[in-house]
């Protein structure tokens, strides 16, 4: 009986409850939720989109597989609860510098391009989010082009053209 009361008290005060790794005001959740949103405009998060999202988040935020999956789940939940982009973008504006915000836009473009096609809805979301993050139209378009046309590999550059 004493152990049960102790456990209950611990849960009420947060003492024994495992804290969430990613809170609602975590900029990583905000960034990931924006990526989830753009990826799911045309339906559910496909395995290809989830894989790309997993890789982007793991590399960008230096997470292990388990933490990355937790972040994706938190981002999906945050995206479902959101009524607009303001909560996410205002948090990112406060926490990131200009170059970091451009990187978020580039990552969103990478998510949008997973299926090889950019819909007018995806383009509109990208425009709105970029504007809210203080990324100019010119920079947004440059980032889109950079993501759409990956840099040539060294192998292609050094190989002579076919006859």
């Amino acid at each position: 009986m004493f152990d049960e009361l102790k456990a209950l008290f611990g849960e009420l005060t947060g003492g024994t409850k495992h804290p969430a790794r990613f809170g609602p005001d975590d900029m990583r959740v905000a960034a990931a939720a924006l990526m989830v949103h753009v990826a799911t405009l045309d339906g559910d998060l496909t395995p290809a989109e989830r894989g790309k999202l997993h890789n982007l988040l793991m590399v960008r935020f230096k997470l292990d597989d388990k933490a990355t999956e937790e972040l994706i789940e938190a981002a999906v939940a945050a995206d479902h609860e959101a009524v607009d982009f303001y909560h996410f973008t205002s948090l990112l504006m406060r926490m990131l510098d200009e170059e970091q915000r451009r990187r978020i836009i580039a990552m969103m473009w990478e998510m949008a391009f997973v299926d090889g096609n950019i819909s007018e809805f995806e383009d509109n979301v990208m425009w709105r989010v970029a504007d809210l993050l203080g990324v100019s139209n010119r920079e947004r378009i440059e980032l889109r082009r950079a993501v759409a046309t990956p840099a040539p590999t060294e192998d292609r550059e050094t190989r002579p053209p076919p006859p």
Side-chain angles (χ1 to χ4, degrees):
M1 172 78 170
F2 178 72
D3 288 335
E4 289 174 22
L5 286 173
K6 185 177 171 184
L8 177 62
F9 182 72
E11 284 182 23
L12 291 174
T13 61
T16 61
K17 192 176 180 183
H18 180 66
R21 190 180 300 214
F22 303 103
D25 288 333
D26 190 318
M27 73 91 182
R28 298 170 297 180
V29 173
L34 291 171
M35 287 181 249
V36 165
H37 188 82
V38 79
T40 58
L41 280 171
D42 53 1
D44 292 330
L45 198 59
T46 67
E49 290 167 333
R50 190 175 186 90
K52 180 68 170 181
L53 181 63
H54 185 93
N55 289 338
L56 284 172
L57 296 174
M58 186 181 338
V59 170
R60 171 74 169 111
F61 299 124
K62 297 174 178 59
L63 301 170
D64 61 24
D65 281 324
K66 184 178 179 191
T68 303
E69 284 303 314
E70 289 176 22
L71 177 55
I72 291 171
E73 294 309 314
V76 168
D79 179 51
H80 285 307
E81 293 173 9
V83 293
D84 61 17
F85 303 126
Y86 183 75
H87 173 73
F88 304 135
T89 58
S90 65
L91 182 62
L92 294 172
M93 283 294 287
R94 285 192 313 268
M95 301 188 85
L96 302 178
D97 64 25
E98 192 175 331
E99 182 56 37
Q100 292 169 321
R101 293 191 312 267
R102 279 194 296 270
R103 181 64 190 132
I104 297 299
I105 296 299
M107 292 167 69
M108 289 178 68
W109 277 125
E110 288 184 58
M111 289 306 304
F113 273 107
V114 168
D115 63 3
N117 183 26
I118 301 294
S119 72
E120 65 185 67
F121 299 113
E122 290 167 325
D123 198 41
N124 183 269
V125 165
M126 293 301 300
W127 167 72
R128 291 181 1 212
V129 171
D131 188 53
L132 289 167
L133 289 178
V135 175
S136 72
N137 286 333
R138 180 184 56 79
E139 291 171 316
R140 175 179 51 84
I141 292 166
E142 286 174 2
L143 290 167
R144 177 184 174 152
R145 286 185 186 137
V147 169
T149 55
T153 63
E154 188 173 314
D155 184 45
R156 282 190 234 146
E157 291 175 351
T158 58
R159 211 173 351 157

